[in-house]
Amino acid sequence: MHTKDWWILLGFIIISQAAGLIGSVFTASAIPEWYATLTLPAFAPPNWIFGPVWTTLYVFMGIAAFIVWRNRHAFPGKRAALTVFFIQLALNAVWSIIFFGLQNPGAAFLEIIALWIAVATTLIMFARFSRTAAVLLVPYLLWVTFAGYLNYSIWILNA
């Protein structure tokens, strides 16, 4: 890989991590003040697990997007695949704003359905360019699936 490519890879990872940073602005104060007061399902993981999991997933997302970008072949749909990637990244950040910032688990559940569809679409589109890029998104899709179930359970338990 050329030096320029390393910088672009780093850029994709930073952009992906930025979605988490935006979300954390709304999450950090809501955890002790609001989230801690909610009735949580028995399967809810401890709060400390979310940071390392999301950090890892954002790195995987950035690498996957870089792999698709770096594929120098002029395949039709490459630009569309990266566009869908950035849409799902925006939806990822918006979920935290709705759930933690607006403290609205019902609306956040609806939004996470859109996020799940966008992540699944990204994974399918990335698979056309690179199996590795698609595989890197599998843990993310699984985590969003779990997060959706957790979100739904919190909504129902606290309605």
Side-chain angles (χ1 to χ4, degrees):
M1 242 178 22
H2 301 295
T3 304
K4 176 186 168 192
D5 288 343
W6 284 106
W7 285 109
I8 293 169
L9 169 61
L10 182 61
F12 274 111
I13 292 171
I14 289 170
I15 289 167
S16 297
Q17 293 288 347
L21 183 61
I22 291 166
S24 70
V25 168
F26 295 90
T27 304
S29 64
I31 288 180
E33 295 174 12
W34 174 70
Y35 187 76
T37 68
L38 296 175
T39 301
L40 301 177
F43 64 86
N47 292 342
W48 64 265
I49 200 81
F50 290 97
V53 168
W54 277 113
T55 300
T56 303
L57 293 174
Y58 289 127
V59 169
F60 287 176
M61 283 183 246
I63 294 169
F66 170 76
I67 290 169
V68 170
W69 172 85
R70 189 167 186 251
N71 187 328
R72 305 264 191 242
H73 300 29
F75 289 115
K78 181 169 143 179
R79 180 174 290 193
L82 289 171
T83 299
V84 173
F85 171 82
F86 286 112
I87 289 169
Q88 69 77 26
L89 205 55
L91 287 169
N92 181 299
V94 168
W95 180 87
S96 294
I97 295 168
I98 296 170
F99 188 88
F100 289 105
L102 299 176
Q103 300 177 359
N104 190 334
F109 178 67
L110 296 176
E111 197 275 352
I112 209 168
I113 292 169
L115 172 60
W116 190 94
I117 292 167
V119 173
T121 302
T122 303
L123 190 153
I124 291 165
M125 293 177 87
F126 276 21
R128 287 197 242 157
F129 302 100
S130 166
R131 184 170 193 245
T132 302
V135 168
L136 282 166
L137 294 181
V138 169
Y140 179 35
L141 184 62
L142 293 173
W143 186 257
V144 171
T145 302
F146 171 73
Y149 182 56
L150 179 61
N151 184 154
Y152 175 78
S153 299
I154 290 170
W155 177 34
I156 296 304
L157 288 171
N158 294 278

